[in-house]
Amino acid sequence: MENKKPYDYLIVGAGLFGATVAYRARQAGKRCLVVDRRSHIGGNVWQQDMAGIAVHTYGPHIFHTANREVWDFVSRFVTMNHFINSPLANYNGKLYNLPFNMNTFRQMWGITSPDAARRIIDEQRARTVTALHGREPKNLEEQALCLVGRDIYQTLIKGYTEKQWGRPCTELPAFIIRRLPVRFTYDNNYFNDPYQGIPEEGYNTLIDKLLEGCDIRLGVDYIPGRAELDALADKIVYSGSIDEFFDFQLGHLEYRTVRFDTQILDMPDFQHNAVVNYTSPTQLHTRIIEHKHFTCFGKEVMRNPQTVISYEYSVEWKKGMEPFYPLNNQRNQSLYERYTELAKTTPNVLFGGRLAEYKYYDMDKVIEKAMQLPL
């Protein structure tokens, strides 16, 4: 008689992808073991309480989607607040609204007419298009200049992008910014999606409810212990780095990561906004996050005499760091495609999530992918 394994699914990674898959499996009556190398569940959406403020430990996570099914799914477990992301850009002390809209153009050129803004942008775009003599943009700088012109590029794109990727824009591929949204209205809502917000109960509550009924082991690194762990389940759902799963046999995929300098300040309000990007190359951080603004609005902000801010610094990923952003150049994409071919020949293992798919997904897309995974 065949020995039955204790679990139907071993799920590697307790982030949004793994937790959503685990919930689906549990709803189908399956037994799940979830393991994660970190000391907490939730992956990058995990939050900490500091000074009575819910802190987005791994950077701001603002839920937004156009997919009603995904929105309704999340809303089963948590109540979404009405937060709308309206970031600012600080360029050498001067503030600009994002995304690029009439407020931005008024701040930059002192104009109030959409027609005037279009004329300036079209004139600047035309100079670059003419200089290219009919060829396609070869790099990010040329692509950006063709899309929005020199003023917006120099003030709001160049410095921020070079800090983000650690490379000159002339060395970055053009496809990174195939398009740059430009609005000729006074609309500071960063996202176009109809459903937006942040869980009032916090992301930790969402993950707790998704993982309800699963056995969970934290501080467990799957790779060195895979033989023992694989023996516990019929199938594996793997959401870690795909190159690590295959012991880097084809080579290492490259990433950027983020270093956070988080501080508690003895003041009720620091920057009066949740997100401020720093687009000048003279300021080494890419942005500052003030966490209370994700959940406190109006007079509520002043009730807590302290605030928590996080400076974000983009750095090159090294072993031992948390990989954040895939470096999607031609070399890495080609390498990833070779790893996916290996994955197709690996029995009883399902791959998914931002690391296994080498793609920086928004949260709704992670959940959507997990909902579509054939179990």
Side-chain angles (χ1 to χ4, degrees):
M1 182 176 178
E2 184 180 354
N3 291 328
K4 187 173 178 64
K5 294 182 179 180
Y7 298 99
D8 298 296
Y9 288 97
L10 167 67
I11 298 173
V12 181
L16 264 180
F17 183 85
T20 302
V21 171
Y23 175 80
R24 287 184 57 214
R26 287 290 300 146
Q27 290 297 106
K30 304 300 183 181
R31 301 156 300 152
C32 299
L33 171 62
V34 181
V35 300
D36 200 295
R37 66 173 60 169
R38 302 192 212 185
S39 61
H40 59 76
I41 60 173
N44 282 4
V45 304
W46 183 62
Q47 293 176 281
Q48 293 173 281
D49 184 281
M50 299 176 66
I53 297 165
V55 172
H56 295 225
T57 308
Y58 299 96
H61 283 79
I62 301 153
F63 198 90
H64 59 97
T65 186
N67 186 327
R68 181 61 185 264
E69 182 183 4
V70 170
W71 179 259
D72 288 345
F73 175 77
V74 172
S75 298
R76 291 184 209 168
F77 310 103
V78 289
T79 303
M80 304 300 282
N81 72 11
H82 61 278
F83 179 82
I84 297 295
N85 191 29
S86 301
L88 296 169
N90 183 314
Y91 181 76
N92 292 331
K94 186 171 181 179
L95 294 177
Y96 298 88
N97 287 100
L98 297 175
F100 311 137
N101 65 63
M102 284 305 300
N103 286 308
T104 320
F105 310 144
R106 175 179 53 80
Q107 291 150 350
M108 185 167 292
W109 299 311
I111 59 173
T112 57
S113 162
D115 288 341
R118 285 191 181 93
R119 280 196 298 271
I120 293 172
I121 292 171
D122 288 345
E123 287 171 4
Q124 294 187 7
R125 290 177 61 250
R127 293 172 199 160
T128 300
V129 172
T130 300
L132 293 181
H133 301 294
R135 67 170 174 82
E136 291 295 312
K138 291 182 177 179
N139 54 56
L140 187 149
E141 178 166 289
E142 291 181 350
Q143 179 71 68
L145 290 170
C146 286
L147 291 171
V148 293
R150 182 160 297 276
D151 288 352
I152 295 173
Y153 170 70
Q154 290 287 351
T155 305
L156 301 176
I157 298 173
K158 185 177 189 296
Y160 185 87
T161 303
E162 292 184 345
K163 288 187 290 186
Q164 186 81 0
W165 294 102
R167 291 155 177 79
C169 287
T170 52
E171 296 179 10
L172 292 169
F175 69 76
I176 289 179
I177 52 167
R178 291 188 179 93
R179 63 184 186 89
L180 286 168
V182 176
R183 297 177 184 165
F184 294 98
T185 61
Y186 292 91
D187 180 5
N188 297 323
N189 184 346
Y190 193 77
F191 302 116
N192 292 315
D193 295 322
Y195 309 110
Q196 303 181 41
I198 291 173
E200 291 182 0
E201 304 88 341
Y203 285 106
N204 295 359
T205 298
L206 171 63
I207 300 297
D208 280 336
K209 291 184 176 180
L210 289 172
L211 291 177
E212 197 171 286
C214 299
D215 288 342
I216 302 169
R217 298 184 191 177
L218 300 176
V220 173
D221 194 341
Y222 167 75
I223 297 300
R226 71 166 80 184
E228 179 184 347
L229 290 167
D230 287 354
L232 299 176
D234 295 324
K235 289 186 177 181
I236 298 108
V237 177
Y238 181 80
S239 65
S241 300
I242 191 169
D243 55 346
E244 186 177 17
F245 181 90
F246 292 106
D247 300 316
F248 310 105
Q249 61 183 271
L250 303 177
H252 288 255
L253 293 166
E254 297 173 294
Y255 295 88
R256 296 288 290 175
T257 189
V258 181
R259 178 173 65 84
F260 300 95
D261 176 12
T262 299
Q263 305 172 12
I264 300 174
L265 304 181
D266 290 322
M267 59 177 68
D269 193 6
F270 174 73
Q271 65 185 16
H272 326 301
N273 204 55
V275 181
V276 178
N277 292 357
Y278 283 77
T279 61
S280 168
T282 61
Q283 295 150 317
L284 298 182
H285 49 282
T286 53
R287 60 184 177 178
I288 299 177
I289 309 305
E290 187 164 12
H291 299 269
K292 66 163 47 175
H293 289 286
F294 293 123
T295 53
C296 296
F297 309 101
K299 293 180 180 179
E300 295 177 19
V301 172
M302 308 305 287
R303 288 178 186 166
N304 188 331
Q306 294 181 306
T307 192
V308 180
I309 64 170
S310 294
Y311 288 80
E312 293 190 12
Y313 299 86
S314 180
V315 295
E316 202 77 10
W317 178 85
K318 295 179 182 177
K319 187 177 180 180
M321 297 178 173
E322 180 62 31
F324 270 68
Y325 305 105
L327 193 58
N328 292 124
N329 56 25
Q330 188 172 1
R331 178 260 179 197
N332 284 307
Q333 279 303 115
S334 175
L335 181 57
Y336 166 68
E337 288 166 11
R338 292 168 63 201
Y339 274 120
T340 61
E341 292 304 311
L342 276 180
K344 291 175 184 176
T345 65
T346 307
N348 299 320
V349 182
L350 302 171
F351 295 84
R354 64 183 180 88
L355 298 180
E357 296 182 58
Y358 197 63
K359 185 171 183 178
Y360 190 75
Y361 281 120
D362 287 330
M363 289 182 286
D364 66 319
K365 298 302 182 186
V366 170
I367 293 173
E368 187 178 304
K369 284 279 188 176
M371 293 171 73
Q372 295 169 350
L373 190 74
L375 295 179

